[in-house]
Amino acid sequence: MKRISLSLVFCASLLIIGCKNENKENETETITETEMESEMEEQKEEIKKVVVPLESKSGSQLDGEVIFTEENGEVTMEATITGLAEGKHAIHIHQEADCSAEDGSSAGGHWNPTNEKHGKWGDPEGYHKGDIGNFEVGADGVGTISMTTDQWCIGCEDENKNILGKAIIVHDGVDDYTSQPSGAAGTRVGCGVIKM
Ligand SMILES: [Cu+2]
Ligand SMILES: [Zn+2]
């Protein structure tokens, strides 16, 4: 009888130890998974993305969107624009996040936080932080333009770089890169506010 109960106690302790070990293993797994999840979230946060839908202005047929992504301190812009006449058209970042006016005038002038003169992007004599430039529209009415720069950021503290709270403007005409203050690019045919 005594032997039986001893064996029972022994078996019971084995079970308890077994359970404890299992619990410990589970705990370790849970911690590792949580750490991995937070690491993944951090990586997600490092890549910021803003999608800016464009609305037609001045009675144009324009449609399209501009996508900004920030990764490793650089912002990449990819714009796809449809409904424009074949040929070159200007695209800029303007200073006001306001597309309400039918002619797009509410978006104000070019975004120029560093008080440079208007010019071609990268010109050593100066250019606005919003001077993206011109893009080509094909016979099918579709145009694309992309660029990558470390002179922009998405929502950082540096107001000389932060593109949030500005607007994208597409023009019917061509930016001549010399006329002040905005390259004589003509009618504003598309507008989109850059916001999260
Ligand atoms: Cu413009
Ligand atoms: Zn400009």
Side-chain angles (χ1 to χ4, degrees):
M1 190 65 187
K2 208 172 190 184
R3 193 175 284 174
I4 291 168
S5 51
L6 266 179
S7 326
L8 274 174
V9 170
F10 183 66
C11 284
S13 3
L14 272 183
L15 277 174
I16 291 165
I17 291 164
C19 279
K20 269 189 185 164
N21 282 345
E22 227 170 75
N23 277 345
K24 266 185 193 164
E25 272 168 28
N26 283 346
E27 269 170 31
T28 325
E29 270 171 32
T30 317
I31 288 166
T32 319
E33 270 170 29
T34 318
E35 275 172 6
M36 277 170 67
E37 270 168 26
S38 58
E39 265 173 36
M40 280 163 74
E41 269 165 31
E42 272 169 31
Q43 279 174 358
K44 269 184 216 159
E45 277 169 25
E46 275 168 24
I47 305 169
K48 292 181 190 164
K49 183 176 179 180
V50 193
V51 179
V52 181
L54 297 176
E55 53 179 293
S56 77
K57 287 292 161 192
S58 311
S60 77
Q61 297 297 307
L62 182 142
D63 197 3
E65 66 177 18
V66 186
I67 300 169
F68 294 95
T69 47
E70 182 179 333
E71 199 173 355
N72 301 324
E74 289 190 321
V75 174
T76 297
M77 180 203 78
E78 288 172 306
T80 308
I81 293 145
T82 62
L84 291 180
E86 187 178 0
K88 270 186 188 171
H89 300 269
I91 179 169
H92 308 122
I93 299 175
H94 285 235
Q95 63 189 358
E96 306 295 339
D98 184 354
C99 292
S100 59
E102 185 31 46
D103 62 358
S105 58
S106 48
H110 288 188
W111 176 44
N112 181 25
T114 50
N115 286 311
E116 306 275 336
K117 63 173 194 169
H118 175 74
K120 193 177 193 307
W121 185 270
D123 189 329
E125 284 182 23
Y127 57 96
H128 300 149
K129 283 290 174 72
D131 287 347
I132 300 168
N134 294 312
F135 64 101
E136 196 80 35
V137 170
D140 57 356
V142 181
T144 59
I145 178 171
S146 61
M147 65 177 274
T148 299
T149 178
D150 63 0
Q151 295 182 51
W152 294 343
C153 72
I154 299 174
C156 70
E157 299 289 310
D158 188 349
E159 278 309 309
N160 288 346
K161 294 174 82 174
N162 185 17
I163 60 171
L164 291 184
K166 320 291 180 306
I168 287 279
I169 288 282
V170 179
H171 295 266
D172 198 32
V174 180
D175 187 337
D176 64 10
Y177 300 133
T178 46
S179 298
Q180 300 301 322
S182 53
T187 309
R188 302 178 180 197
V189 288
C191 186
V193 170
I194 307 172
K195 60 178 181 191
M196 291 301 255

